[in-house]
């Protein structure tokens, strides 16, 4: 009985040895399968860099700087001043639905009742065709009356209507306010000196 038990132990021993001898092989198989799994794993793709944001669109037109030649030019400075005055006057007259050119025509007619269109065009340096369109517009609004000249039938003479004279009386304060704004911008003394200096060109029209 004891021998049979020992025999059982002996019989079991080789089995244990065989199983223990097989374990490294199994472990080796597991390692190879693990390495194989690593080889079979799909390679991760390199991440692409995020697209660069598009540059923000610039609003408005770029502001160009005048060259030194222009900055030192008196003519350029006068032109810039004229543009500033025109913009300010146009903004004030827009409330009356009148342009700066139309105001000039009304002013000349008021100072020279019965003046013909050719004389106005020459005085304001406006082409005759352009002046004709201005007068047509003022006439349709009932601000100007146009009639044939008694002296020369080829010309039309112009007068302000009552509505035109009344509107001109309302426009003059707006122009005066623009003059005050300009005087405040450059100073009262400089404003008077500028008026006096530029008055020499009034006779060159």
């Amino acid at each position: 009985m004891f021998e049979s038990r020992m025999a059982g132990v002996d019989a079991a021993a080789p089995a244990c040895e065989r199983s223990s001898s097989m374990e490294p092989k199994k472990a080796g198989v597991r390692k190879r399968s693990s390495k194989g799994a690593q080889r079979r794993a799909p390679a991760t793709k390199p991440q692409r860099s995020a697209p660069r944001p598009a540059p923000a669109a610039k609003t408005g037109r770029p502001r160009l700087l005048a060259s030194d030649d222009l900055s030192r030019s008196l003519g350029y400075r006068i032109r810039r001043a004229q543009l500033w005055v025109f913009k300010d006057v146009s903004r004030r007259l827009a409330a009356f639905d009148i342009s700066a050119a139309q105001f000039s025509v009304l002013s000349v007619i008021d100072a020279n009742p019965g003046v013909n269109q050719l004389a106005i065009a020459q005085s304001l340096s406006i082409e005759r065709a352009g002046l004709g369109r201005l007068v047509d517009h003022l006439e349709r609004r009932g601000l100007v009356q146009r009639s044939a000249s008694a002296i020369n039938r080829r010309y039309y003479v112009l007068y302000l209507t009552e509505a035109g004279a009344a509107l001109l009386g309302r426009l003059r304060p707006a122009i005066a306010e623009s003059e005050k704004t300009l005087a405040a911008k450059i100073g009262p003394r400089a404003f008077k000196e500028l008026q006096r200096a530029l008055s020499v060109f009034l006779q060159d029209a």
Side-chain angles (χ1 to χ4, degrees):
M1 185 68 180
F2 178 77
E3 293 178 355
S4 62
R5 289 180 180 176
M6 291 295 296
V9 172
D10 293 339
C16 292
E17 292 176 358
R18 285 195 302 269
S19 65
S20 61
S21 63
M22 291 178 65
E23 285 180 0
K25 294 181 181 180
K26 290 182 180 180
V29 172
R30 283 198 297 270
K31 290 181 180 179
R32 286 195 299 270
S33 63
S34 174
K35 292 181 179 179
Q38 290 179 358
R39 288 195 298 269
R40 287 194 300 270
T44 56
K45 296 182 179 180
Q47 294 182 353
R48 295 182 180 179
S49 58
R52 296 180 180 179
K58 297 182 179 180
T59 58
R61 293 179 298 179
R63 184 177 180 180
L64 301 180
L65 300 179
S67 65
D68 291 340
D69 293 337
L70 285 178
S71 299
R72 290 192 296 264
S73 170
L74 179 60
Y76 179 75
R77 295 184 181 188
I78 293 176
R79 174 59 175 166
R80 297 301 304 181
Q82 188 269 338
L83 291 174
W84 185 94
V85 172
F86 181 81
K87 182 178 180 180
D88 187 73
V89 169
S90 298
R91 178 180 60 83
R92 297 176 188 275
L93 296 183
F96 303 93
D97 194 21
I98 288 289
S99 67
Q102 293 168 357
F103 169 78
S104 299
V105 172
L106 292 176
S107 298
V108 172
I109 296 175
D110 181 65
N112 304 273
V115 66
N116 63 65
Q117 292 187 196
L118 179 59
I120 297 177
Q122 293 175 345
S123 176
L124 298 178
S125 300
I126 301 176
E127 294 183 359
R128 294 180 62 180
L131 178 63
R133 289 190 291 270
L134 284 176
V135 173
D136 289 342
H137 178 77
L138 295 173
E139 189 178 26
R140 285 194 300 268
R141 290 188 59 178
L143 303 176
V144 168
Q145 179 183 351
R146 177 167 47 185
S147 59
S149 172
I151 301 175
N152 190 338
R153 293 291 179 177
R154 293 181 301 173
Y155 297 108
Y156 287 98
V157 293
L158 304 172
Y159 299 89
L160 289 186
T161 63
E162 292 184 2
L167 177 61
L168 185 60
R170 297 169 57 196
L171 297 177
R172 282 172 175 150
I175 300 299
E177 286 298 322
S178 180
E179 296 279 300
K180 291 180 181 179
T181 303
L182 177 60
K185 184 176 182 63
I186 65 176
R189 182 177 179 178
F191 178 78
K192 292 180 180 180
E193 292 177 352
L194 183 62
Q195 280 189 317
R196 182 168 56 253
L198 297 180
S199 62
V200 67
F201 296 101
L202 295 176
Q203 306 303 323
D204 293 347

